[in-house]
Amino acid sequence: MSKSNAKFFSAISSFLVAAAVVSWNVRCEAAEQPRVKNVILLVADGCATDQYTLARWYHGKPLPTDGILVGAVKTYAADSVITDSAPAASAYATGVRTSSKGISVGPGPKTLSIVPKPPEDLQRRPLATVLEGARLAGKATGIVVTCRASHATPAAFMAHTPLRDREEDIMEQAVHQNVDLVLGGGRDYLVPKSAGGKRSDGENHLETLKARGYRIIGTRDELAQLGSGRVFGMFAKEHMAAEIDRREFGPGQPSLEEMTRKAIELLAQRPQGFFLMVEGSQVDWGCHANDPAHMLGDLLMFERAVQAALDFAAKDGSTLVLALSDHNTGGMSIGNSSARGSSTQMPEKDLLEPLRRMKLSAPGMWKKLGSDKTPAGVKRIVKEYWGMAITDADANQILAVAKRDKDTPQNAFGEVLCPKYTVIGWTTHGHCGGDVPLFAFGPGRPAGLVDSPEIGRVIARALGLDLEKLTERLFVDAKQAFGDGKVTLDAADKQNPVVAIEFQGKTARLPVNKNLVQLGGKAVELEGVVVYASDTGKAYIPVQAVKMIRGQATAER
Ligand SMILES: [Zn+2]
């Protein structure tokens, strides 16, 4: 073959490969026979390349992710160049690009110019997730996080709601999702206010879980002792402690690595395989606060969780490991505008020494400051925990910024001190719109520059799932299914609404956020949760429920 011919053929074949990939992506129902038994997805919330680079310098040797870099992920949401964690995680969970604040529901009508306007029946409707699909395929499923289990990223795999803040609804759906293992924080969202928790609907879902055969555990020791079975490990009332603060503020809590290793040990007992999502939830918060201490502690612990996944996958041979972020946060850079920070003659010590003196997260320092909100108090705390001898002016500035940002006073430490006492730069306390690195290992791993929803489709393909069909199976618009009946939302008990379906003289009742149908005096468990989309007024129920309600009517006729 001549040189130019070879070039032409290689161009043609890469075109054909690209075309094949495109049609593959679009028609995931034509998925190949699954070669992958297990998928472990690890999300370092809110960071991009520079944070990993900084973690590597700090660690002093290569990171587990270093050897498995395969590409990058485009992170934008359907309606925003900069995404929040809710649509970002929803893309990974459902394979669909969705809109701000939504938890695994279709995009809204307003989209970016490059995003096609979604068809009306897709808008704001619940979308099946890879976790739901894995469960219906008989696989074990697990969620491991260091935030509340009802926070945006884990929520996107276990729940469906237009607003990520509805954490009571999210936790209720997580309880009724039949996930095999949930490890993280958020115990208060399972417990009613009357019993000291946060739930305003009066329900005690610790009891629900126990009745369903779950073990409820709350400490690192209890986790270590687990040998099998379904478990909710709720290690904190709210979020778990920052890794760097764990000894100080969460001594009984397991690390992300310990939770990940235990999760794999338990889930891998299922012969059909498993799906596990692990989130280093607080990398994002460290970056929001421009706090290198919080960020580094949690990102390095995330790396240890990645190593746990890789250890298993290397032995197993049929496990796909994906590690990535959902977006960048803080716009961190190695280098800032200070004289030292912009030097191209920078010795390692300029980068590392200030960071090595940090012994507590910024929220941890704010907590330690307590009521002593004086310049002297601030100077003392910063000296003790970040090893910096700061000036009165610095201390006053920290107090002023903390007063300005009342909800996030801890952000003041990093904002004031990083530019002056470190060579780390930050551009924002918010999220950023850039691409994030993609790490992967095992069969079916993606490569190149990947669109965020493609990650969800990669997982679906690996597990042999057809997410579109699963969405049709799990979420039928009840009014469409019962055009010949009557569907209403019974909100007599405001906190516990019920979808009521009158059909041929009988009424079926389906409590919102649960996987139950009450029919002919009996409550029967369903294969999916009942979702009420408050923004469209539509109720979604599994096809299984439609069949049962229609079937009963037929049987009794
Ligand atoms: Zn995020």
Side-chain angles (χ1 to χ4, degrees), residues 511-522:
V512 172
N513 299 325
K514 296 181 181 170
N515 67 331
L516 295 172
V517 56
Q518 290 152 0
L519 199 61
K522 280 189 307 195

Side-chain angles (χ1 to χ4, degrees), residues 256-287:
L256 188 69
E257 181 195 10
E258 288 165 341
M259 292 194 286
T260 303
R261 288 196 184 274
K262 181 56 77 172
I264 293 171
E265 178 196 322
L266 296 179
L267 297 174
Q269 294 171 11
R270 184 75 56 91
Q272 297 94 321
F274 67 87
F275 169 75
L276 170 64
M277 196 287 290
V278 175
E279 186 195 28
S281 317
Q282 302 191 20
V283 175
D284 178 63
W285 307 348
C287 293

Side-chain angles (χ1 to χ4, degrees), residues 215-438:
R215 291 274 298 277
I216 313 283
I217 60 166
T219 66
R220 185 178 179 216
D221 291 340
E222 287 173 302
L223 181 73
Q225 284 157 21
L226 281 181
S228 62
R230 302 207 294 180
V231 60
F232 252 66
M234 292 280 104
F235 304 105
K237 286 163 165 284
E238 292 277 344
H239 303 303
M240 292 173 69
E243 177 55 32
I244 195 169
D245 300 348
R246 196 151 58 87
R247 243 188 267 165
E248 181 87 32
F249 296 124
Q253 296 178 8
S255 71
L256 188 69
E257 181 195 10
E258 288 165 341
M259 292 194 286
T260 303
R261 288 196 184 274
K262 181 56 77 172
I264 293 171
E265 178 196 322
L266 296 179
L267 297 174
Q269 294 171 11
R270 184 75 56 91
Q272 297 94 321
F274 67 87
F275 169 75
L276 170 64
M277 196 287 290
V278 175
E279 186 195 28
S281 317
Q282 302 191 20
V283 175
D284 178 63
W285 307 348
C287 293
H288 273 295
N290 299 352
D291 170 0
H294 194 170
M295 187 279 283
L296 282 169
D298 277 74
L299 186 54
L300 285 169
M301 182 49 78
F302 174 79
E303 288 283 348
R304 293 172 64 153
V306 171
Q307 187 61 56
L310 291 176
D311 289 347
F312 175 80
K315 265 195 233 144
D316 175 72
S318 57
T319 298
L320 171 61
V321 177
L322 297 167
L324 73 184
S325 296
D326 51 349
H327 52 77
N328 191 9
T329 302
M332 197 210 87
S333 58
I334 296 175
N336 63 21
S337 316
S338 71
R340 270 196 312 163
S342 46
S343 167
T344 51
Q345 301 285 305
M346 189 185 289
E348 291 106 309
K349 73 170 179 34
D350 282 10
L351 176 66
L352 297 174
E353 272 183 7
L355 305 178
R356 295 218 190 280
R357 285 197 287 263
M358 296 179 168
K359 300 293 178 226
L360 214 59
S361 74
M365 286 207 295
W366 189 253
K367 208 189 241 182
K368 286 276 181 191
L369 186 61
S371 58
D372 184 16
K373 294 187 177 53
T374 60
V378 171
K379 282 174 79 173
R380 180 176 54 82
I381 290 293
V382 170
K383 179 81 189 122
E384 186 170 353
Y385 296 107
W386 274 17
M388 297 169 181
I390 65 171
T391 64
D392 287 334
D394 297 330
N396 277 312
Q397 203 188 338
I398 286 169
L399 289 168
V401 172
K403 209 169 177 186
R404 182 198 72 196
D405 299 341
K406 271 188 213 69
D407 295 338
T408 51
Q410 70 277 6
N411 290 7
F413 292 114
E415 180 176 319
V416 174
L417 301 177
C418 277
K420 191 169 166 185
Y421 295 92
T422 77
V423 297
I424 302 299
W426 301 93
T427 56
T428 174
H429 284 296
H431 293 178
C432 313
D435 302 339
V436 294
L438 171 62

Side-chain angles (χ1 to χ4, degrees), residues 67 146 185 198 209 280 336 362 365 375 392 443 451 465 526 552:
T146 54
K198 283 262 158 72
L209 288 166
N336 63 21
M365 286 207 295
D392 287 334
D451 233 359
L465 307 174
L526 297 168
Q552 178 187 268

